[in-house]
Amino acid sequence: MMQLTLGALNINALAAADEVIITVNPQLLAMMGLQDFLKTVKKIRARVNDRLSVAGILLTMCDARTNLCKVITEQVRDTFEGQIRIFESRIPNTVKVGESVYYSEPLIEYAPESNATKAYKNLAKELINYEG
């Protein structure tokens, strides 16, 4: 059985946060990790931070052309819809994200017209509408 281990920095961040967005890479092991992470959030909420909640699930590194991405996306929906918000925005798998990290530049400056930048902008709009 796979076990999720979070470092002290991540635990401290969850202890201080009001909300967390859970990113999920549409791979098989990510679904198991998601379940483990939700258990960790529940424990932190019970023991340390009763304000902590899950703002939603964000699918990242998506390649909508692959069957695996479609299957995992549906599995996330089937499992969590109605319980946890699943963001409509999906961050695509693109080289530009890795390049922006390598060059230490924000994606919005490094590749302002990339699909990933557009997806992050859509997520920001979705969050604003969600909070507002």
Side-chain angles (χ1 to χ4, degrees):
M1 174 178 242
M2 187 174 110
Q3 190 162 6
L4 178 69
T5 15
L6 295 176
L9 183 62
N10 290 323
I11 297 294
N12 287 339
L14 290 171
D18 290 331
E19 288 184 304
V20 61
I21 294 174
I22 303 172
T23 58
V24 176
N25 176 337
Q27 300 287 326
L28 180 60
L29 293 178
M31 276 302 290
M32 294 189 302
L34 175 57
Q35 297 285 359
D36 288 343
F37 187 78
L38 288 169
K39 289 176 188 172
T40 300
V41 168
K42 188 175 180 177
K43 285 179 186 175
I44 290 173
R45 186 182 310 124
R47 297 177 185 170
V48 180
N49 178 1
D50 62 352
R51 296 177 325 277
L52 182 62
S53 66
V54 175
I57 297 171
L58 175 65
L59 292 163
T60 62
M61 298 179 70
C62 295
D63 186 348
R65 300 170 297 169
T66 66
N67 286 333
L68 182 60
C69 181
K70 292 173 188 170
V71 167
I72 298 293
T73 299
E74 285 306 310
Q75 188 177 7
V76 167
R77 275 215 166 92
D78 291 346
T79 304
F80 297 105
E81 199 161 41
Q83 300 170 36
I84 299 174
R85 178 174 191 201
I86 302 163
F87 291 104
E88 291 298 319
S89 301
R90 285 184 186 75
I91 311 304
N93 191 13
T94 174
V95 172
K96 295 295 181 191
V97 174
E99 289 175 353
S100 74
V101 171
Y102 179 80
Y103 292 114
S104 300
E105 287 188 46
L107 183 62
I108 198 165
E109 291 177 15
Y110 180 77
E113 299 303 317
S114 76
N115 288 336
T117 300
K118 292 173 187 173
Y120 278 115
K121 285 180 179 181
N122 287 337
L123 174 64
K125 289 175 188 172
E126 204 173 339
L127 284 167
I128 290 167
N129 290 333
Y130 171 69
E131 296 294 327

